[in-house]
C-alpha cells in the first residue's frame, strides 16, 4: 500500500513537472506609434482564437512599457492590448518551440482620434498618476484650468502653492527648482514670476512634481523640483492662434502663436505684449527694545504704490527628428520690458531712549528697462529601441536691468535730516551650461545612467547713490551706500544611477558628486570679498511597486544640500536709511535627509486617489533673522537682518489627493496637506536653544462641470493656515474663485471669464515676535484681491497642435519682466 501511494505521488509529480516544462513566458513592450515612447498601464491579454475568446493570461505594462505573462501552454493565441485613449491592439501569436521565453518585441499602440472639420480630439489619460519618483499632473486632461495661467495649473499640482506675486512653494518650502521641458529654467526671480503668471495653462501638457529627487538631479536645495512639460510630438499640419487676455487690475495681453510641423521637423513661435498696472497699500507697526527690555523706539507707517509696466516676449522652439534614432531640439527667446512706479509713505517714528520725534513722509519715483535672452540645443541618439542612448545639450542665458530712482524724505520736525537722493542700479549676467547623459541597459530589466554637467554664471551688480547737499544744491556720491560687485559662480557635477525591475517592483539607487564654487568680488570693499567652494557626495534610493489592480506604491530616501551663496557669506554691510543688512561668513551648509512613502490609484468610473507621507530632517538650516542693535553708524538702536544657521529642524506631514468624476462632464477634486515642523536654534548669546513648533495645513476644493457641450463652469476654495519660522509668523490666507469658459464655431473661438477672490479676503500679513523687535504688518495689492479676468482666443488649424504652442515658451525663460514693479 505504501509503495503504491509512493508511485502515485511520483507519477503526479512527474506529470506536473512535464506540464510546467511545456509552458512558456511571453514578454513584450508597448510603444506609442506617434512618439515612440513606452506606454504604461496598458492591459495585455492572451486569448484563444476561437469564438469563446477564453483568456489564458494577462498583465499590465509597467513604466517602461514592458509586460510579462507566465505559464502559457503551447498553441495559437490572439494578443489583445487595451488602454483608454488608444486603439485596441489585436494580433495573432504562436507559442511553441524549444525557447521557453517568447519575446514579441515592440508592439505599436495608436492613439484614438476623430477628425471633425479639422478639430482633433485625443482620448483622455488619468489626471494624476505616479511614475517612479515623479507625481504627474496631466494638465491637458484637466478642463478646469484650460482658460487660466500656469499659476492656476501649478495650484492644482499636488503640494504646490503659488501666491499672488508668482512665488512658488512646494509643501510650504520656497527653495523649489522650476524646470521647463526637463531642463532648469535658469530664470531670475522676476522673469520666473512673470512667466508663471502669463503663460497660458492650455499650452501645458503636464506638470511633474519631484518632491524627493534622485541622484539624477542636482542635490542643491531641499524644496524639490517642478518640471513644466510643454513639448509634444505632432503630426504634419500647422496651427495659428491669436487673442487677448486682460483683467480689472488692470492688465491686457495680446498674443499670437504659430506652429508648423511635419513628421520630421517642427517649429513653434510665440509673440506677446503685456501692459500691467499694479497698485497696493500697506500698514505696519514696530517696537524695538533695549537689552534690558525697555522700549527704545516705536514706529507706525502707512504706504501706497502704483506701477506700470510694458513687457514683450518672443519665443522660438523647434525640433528635427530625421529618424527614430536621432533627435535634435533647439530653443531661443528674448523678453525685453520697461516701466515706472511711484510710492508714498507716512511714518510715525518716535525714540524713547533719547526722546525725539523722527516722523517723516517719503515719496519715490522710479523707472527701469531691461530684458533677457536665452538659447540652447539638445541632441539625443538612440543606439537601439531597448533604451541604450546618449544625449548632450548646451545652453546660455542672459539678463540685464537698468533702473533709476529718486527719493525725497521730509522730516516733520527735524528739518536738518531731510534728504533728497537719487540712485542708479545696473545688473547684467551671462550664464553658460552643458551636460552629457548616457543610458545603457545592462539587462532587459535594468539600466545604468551616467552623466556630467557644468555651468558658469558670471554677473555684475552696480549701484550708485547720490545725495543732494542743500547748501550747494549739488548731488554728492554716498560711498557707504554705493556698491560695485562682480560674481563668478560655477559648478561641476557627476552622477550615476542603477535601476532594476523585478516584475512590478522597481529599485533605483544613485550617487551624485557636486562641486560648487562661489566668488563675490566687491570692488569698493575688497575686504568683504567671498571665495568659497563646496564638495559633497549625495546618495539616493527609490523603490516603487504596482499591482495588477493599479495600486501604485513608492518609498524613497535622498540626501540633499543647500549651500550659502556669496551674498549670504559676505561681511559687506548694506545700509538703508533706518537699518542695515549683512551676510554671515560663518554660515554652514544645510544638509537634509528626506524619506517619503506614497500610494495612489486610478479607479475607472471614479477618478484618482492618492496619499503621501514625508519626513525631512535638516541640520544647520539657513534662515533670515531680524533683530535690533545699537549702530555707531546711526548712533541709535536700529533694525537689521542677516542669515543664520537656525540649528536643527524636522518637517513631517501627509497629503491627500482625490478626484471624483461624478459624470463624464462633471468632477470634484480635493487636496489637503497637513504638516508639522519643529526647529531649534541659538539666539544671540543664549545657552539654551529656543524651539519653534508649527502645525500647519492647507486645502483646495475644485468643482468643474460642462453644460450643453460648449460651456464650462468651475469654482474653487483655497485655504492655507499660518506658518511660523523662527520669530516670524505669516498669517492665514484664503479665497474663493469662480469662472466659466465657452467655445463656439467648432472650437475655433474660445471665451473665458473668471472672478478671483470673490469676497476680497486675500490680504497678506505677518508678525515678527523677536524679544527685542516686534513687528505687525499687512499689505494688499490689486493682483491679490478681487479681480475680474477674461479673454478671447481665435484658433485655426488642427486642435491637436494647440498644446504644442507652448514649446516656444518653454525653452528656459519667462514672458515679461514686470519692469515697473
Amino acid at each position: 500500500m505504501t509503495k503504491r501511494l509512493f508511485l502515485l505521488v511520483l507519477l503526479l509529480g512527474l506529470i506536473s513537472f512535464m506540464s510546467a516544462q511545456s509552458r512558456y513566458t511571453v514578454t513584450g513592450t508597448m510603444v506609442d506609434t506617434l512618439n515612440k515612447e513606452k506606454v504604461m498601464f496598458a492591459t495585455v491579454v492572451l486569448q484563444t482564437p476561437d469564438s469563446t475568446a477564453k483568456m489564458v493570461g494577462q498583465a499590465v505594462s509597467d513604466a517602461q512599457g514592458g509586460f510579462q505573462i507566465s505559464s502559457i501552454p503551447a498553441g495559437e493565441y490572439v494578443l489583445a492590448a487595451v488602454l483608454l485613449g488608444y486603439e485596441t491592439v489585436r494580433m495573432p501569436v504562436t507559442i511553441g518551440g524549444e525557447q521557453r521565453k517568447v519575446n514579441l518585441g515592440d508592439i505599436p499602440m495608436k492613439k484614438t482620434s476623430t477628425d471633425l472639420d479639422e478639430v482633433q480630439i485625443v482620448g483622455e489619460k488619468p489626471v494624476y498618476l505616479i511614475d517612479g519618483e515623479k507625481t504627474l499632473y496631466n494638465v491637458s486632461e484637466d478642463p478646469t484650468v484650460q482658460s487660466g495661467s500656469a499659476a492656476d495649473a501649478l495650484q492644482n499640482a499636488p503640494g504646490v502653492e503659488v501666491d499672488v506675486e508668482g512665488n512658488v512653494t512646494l509643501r510650504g518650502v520656497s527653495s523649489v527648482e522650476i524646470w521647463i521641458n526637463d531642463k532648469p529654467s535658469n530664470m531670475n526671480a522676476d522673469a520666473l514670476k512673470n512667466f508663471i503668471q502669463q503663460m497660458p495653462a492650455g499650452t501645458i501638457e503636464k506638470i511633474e512634481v519631484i518632491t524627493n529627487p534622485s541622484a539624477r538631479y542636482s542635490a542643491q536645495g531641499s524644496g524639490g523640483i517642478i518640471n513644466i512639460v510643454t513639448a509634444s510630438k505632432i503630426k504634419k499640419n500647422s496651427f495659428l492662434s491669436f487673442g487677448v487676455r486682460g483683467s480689472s487690475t488692470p492688465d491686457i495681453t495680446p498674443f499670437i502663436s504659430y506652429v508648423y510641423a511635419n513628421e520630421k521637423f517642427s517649429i513653434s513661435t510665440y509673440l506677446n505684449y503685456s501692459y500691467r498696472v499694479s497698485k497696493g497699500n500697506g500698514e505696519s507697526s514696530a517696537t524695538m527694545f533695549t537689552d534690558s527690555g525697555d522700549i527704545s523706539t516705536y514706529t507706525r507707517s502707512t504706504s501706497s504704490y502704483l506701477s506700470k509696466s510694458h513687457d514683450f516676449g518672443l519665443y522660438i522652439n523647434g525640433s528635427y527628428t530625421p529618424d527614430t534614432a536621432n533627435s535634435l531640439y533647439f530653443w531661443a527667446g528674448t523678453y525685453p520690458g520697461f516701466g515706472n512706479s511711484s510710492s508714498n509713505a507716512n511714518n510715525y517714528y518716535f525714540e524713547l531712549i533719547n526722546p525725539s520725534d523722527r516722523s517723516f513722509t517719503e515719496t519715490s519715483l522710479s523707472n527701469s528697462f531691461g530684458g533677457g535672452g536665452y538659447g540652447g540645443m539638445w541632441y539625443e541618439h538612440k543606439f537601439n529601441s531597448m533604451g541604450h542612448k546618449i544625449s548632450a545639450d548646451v545652453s546660455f542665458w542672459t539678463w540685464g536691468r537698468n533702473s533709476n530712482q529718486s527719493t525725497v524724505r521730509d522730516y516733520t520736525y527735524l528739518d536738518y535730516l531731510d534728504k533728497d537722493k537719487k540712485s542708479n542700479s545696473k545688473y547684467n549676467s551671462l550664464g553658460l551650461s552643458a551636460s552629457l547623459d548616457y543610458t545603457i541597459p545592462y539587462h532587459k530589466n535594468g539600466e545604468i545612467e551616467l552623466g556630467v554637467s557644468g555651468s558658469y554664471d558670471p554677473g555684475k551688480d552696480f549701484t550708485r547713490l547720490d545725495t543732494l547737499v542743500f547748501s550747494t544744491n549739488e548731488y554728492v556720491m554716498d560711498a557707504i551706500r554705493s556698491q560695485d560687485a562682480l560674481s563668478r559662480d560655477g559648478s561641476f557635477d557627476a552622477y550615476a544611477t542603477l535601476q532594476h525591475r523585478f516584475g512590478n517592483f522597481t529599485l533605483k539607487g544613485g550617487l551624485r558628486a557636486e562641486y560648487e564654487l562661489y566668488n563675490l568680488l566687491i570692488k569698493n570693499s575688497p575686504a568683504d570679498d567671498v571665495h568659497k567652494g563646496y564638495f559633497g557626495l549625495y546618495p539616493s534610493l527609490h523603490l516603487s511597486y504596482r499591482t495588477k489592480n493599479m495600486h501604485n506604491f513608492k518609498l524613497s530616501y535622498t540626501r540633499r544640500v543647500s549651500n550659502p551663496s556669496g551674498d549670504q557669506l559676505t561681511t559687506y554691510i548694506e545700509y538703508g536709511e533706518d537699518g542695515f543688512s549683512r551676510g554671515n561668513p560663518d554660515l554652514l551648509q544645510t544638509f537634509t535627509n528626506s524619506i517619503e512613502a506614497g500610494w495612489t490609484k486610478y479607479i475607472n468610473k471614479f477618478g484618482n486617489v492618492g496619499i503621501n507621507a514625508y519626513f525631512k530632517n535638516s541640520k544647520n538650516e539657513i534662515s533670515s533673522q531680524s533683530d535690533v542693535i545699537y549702530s555707531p553708524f546711526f548712533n541709535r538702536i536700529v533694525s537689521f537682518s542677516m542669515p543664520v544657521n537656525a540649528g536643527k529642524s524636522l518637517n513631517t506631514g501627509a497629503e491627500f489627493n482625490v478626484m471624483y468624476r461624478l459624470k463624464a462632464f462633471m468632477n470634484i477634486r480635493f487636496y489637503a496637506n497637513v504638516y508639522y515642523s519643529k526647529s531649534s536654534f541659538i539666539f544671540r548669546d543664549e545657552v539654551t536653544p529656543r524651539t519653534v513648533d508649527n502645525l500647519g495645513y492647507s486645502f483646495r476644493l475644485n468643482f468643474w462641470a460642462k453644460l450643453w457641450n460648449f460651456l464650462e463652469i468651475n469654482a474653487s476654495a483655497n485655504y492655507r493656515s499660518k506658518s511660523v519660522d523662527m520669530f516670524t509668523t505669516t498669517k492665514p490666507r484664503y479665497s474663493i474663485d469662480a469662472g466659466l469658459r465657452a467655445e463656439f464655431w467648432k472650437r475655433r473661438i474660445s471665451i473665458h471669464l473668471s472672478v478671483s477672490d470673490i469676497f476680497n479676503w486675500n490680504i497678506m500679513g505677518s508678525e515678527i515676535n523677536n524679544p527685542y523687535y516686534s513687528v505687525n504688518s499687512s499689505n494688499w495689492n490689486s493682483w491679490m484681491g478681487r479681480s475680474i479676468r477674461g479673454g478671447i482666443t481665435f484658433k485655426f488649424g488642427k486642435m491637436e497642435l494647440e498644446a504644442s504652442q507652448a514649446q516656444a515658451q518653454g525653452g528656459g525663460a519667462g514672458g515679461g519682466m514686470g519692469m515697473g514693479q
Side-chain angles (χ1 to χ4, degrees), residues 144-402:
T144 66
V145 299
Q146 295 305 304
S147 61
S149 65
D152 300 314
L154 284 167
Q155 289 279 23
N156 289 319
V160 181
E161 298 279 352
V162 184
D163 67 20
V164 294
E165 296 179 350
N167 298 303
V168 181
T169 59
L170 180 58
R171 292 174 176 168
V173 179
S174 60
S175 57
V176 60
E177 289 186 46
I178 304 297
W179 285 37
I180 310 294
N181 291 333
D182 301 315
K183 300 296 178 184
S185 63
N186 292 321
M187 285 185 274
N188 63 76
D190 288 339
L192 180 59
K193 292 176 185 179
N194 283 276
F195 174 78
I196 291 170
Q197 291 171 332
Q198 293 187 33
M199 181 182 183
T203 60
I204 300 175
E205 179 183 340
K206 62 184 175 181
I207 294 174
E208 300 175 344
V209 180
I210 310 174
T211 53
N212 208 17
S214 68
R216 169 68 176 79
Y217 303 93
S218 171
Q220 297 295 314
S222 59
I225 294 172
I226 298 173
N227 183 30
I228 301 174
V229 179
T230 62
S232 60
K233 300 290 184 180
I234 52 181
K235 296 179 180 178
K236 182 178 181 179
N237 215 303
S238 62
F239 183 86
L240 172 70
S241 71
F242 59 90
V244 62
R245 302 185 300 272
S247 76
S248 61
T249 51
D251 74 280
I252 186 169
T253 302
F255 62 89
I256 184 171
S257 176
Y258 177 72
V259 177
Y260 172 80
N262 57 36
E263 294 180 353
K264 293 185 177 181
F265 176 78
S266 71
I267 187 167
S268 296
T269 61
Y270 184 90
L271 174 66
N272 77 293
Y273 160 74
S274 179
Y275 171 69
R276 304 175 67 185
V277 177
S278 179
K279 56 185 177 181
N281 56 67
E283 58 181 37
S284 66
S285 61
T287 305
M288 303 180 196
F289 300 87
T290 65
D291 291 345
S292 59
D294 298 324
I295 297 177
S296 67
T297 307
Y298 174 76
T299 67
R300 185 178 68 250
S301 67
T302 59
S303 61
S304 62
Y305 79 91
L306 173 67
S307 70
K308 300 177 182 180
S309 63
H310 305 261
D311 301 300
F312 305 83
L314 173 62
Y315 313 98
I316 301 174
N317 206 325
S319 66
Y320 176 61
T321 308
D323 49 51
T324 57
N326 298 281
S327 299
L328 178 68
Y329 297 88
F330 58 90
W331 57 89
T334 181
Y335 46 101
F338 64 93
N340 58 76
S341 66
S342 61
S343 64
N344 296 278
N346 293 287
N347 293 266
Y348 173 74
Y349 194 116
F350 192 77
E351 290 189 351
L352 298 177
I353 299 299
N354 297 308
S356 63
D357 189 338
R358 304 175 67 92
S359 301
F360 61 88
T361 60
E362 188 171 83
T363 302
S364 295
L365 299 173
S366 66
N367 63 79
S368 58
F369 64 90
Y374 66 91
M377 185 176 296
W378 178 80
Y379 170 75
E380 181 183 69
H381 174 74
K382 297 179 180 179
F383 297 98
N384 54 40
S385 61
M386 304 303 293
H388 186 192
K389 59 185 179 181
I390 188 170
S391 65
D393 78 83
V394 60
S395 62
F396 77 91
W397 60 93
T398 181
W399 191 79
R401 180 169 182 163
N402 190 322

Side-chain angles (χ1 to χ4, degrees), residues 461-463 477-486 521-529 572-573:
D461 191 355
F462 172 82
T463 299
M477 179 178 174
D478 185 342
I480 296 295
R481 294 182 175 89
S482 298
Q483 180 181 349
D484 189 1
L486 300 174
L521 310 175
I522 302 178
K523 291 184 176 181
N524 57 309
S525 184
D528 298 311
D529 288 354
Y572 182 80
I573 299 177

Side-chain angles (χ1 to χ4, degrees), residues 607-640:
N608 304 274
V609 179
I611 299 175
N612 287 285
Y614 53 91
F615 174 84
K616 292 184 178 181
N617 182 24
S618 298
K619 181 180 179 181
N620 299 323
E621 190 169 27
I622 299 174
S623 182
S624 178
Q625 177 178 293
S626 297
D627 204 350
V628 295
I629 192 173
Y630 173 80
S631 169
F633 178 80
F634 291 98
N635 194 30
R636 53 192 169 94
I637 294 177
V638 297
S639 63
F640 79 98

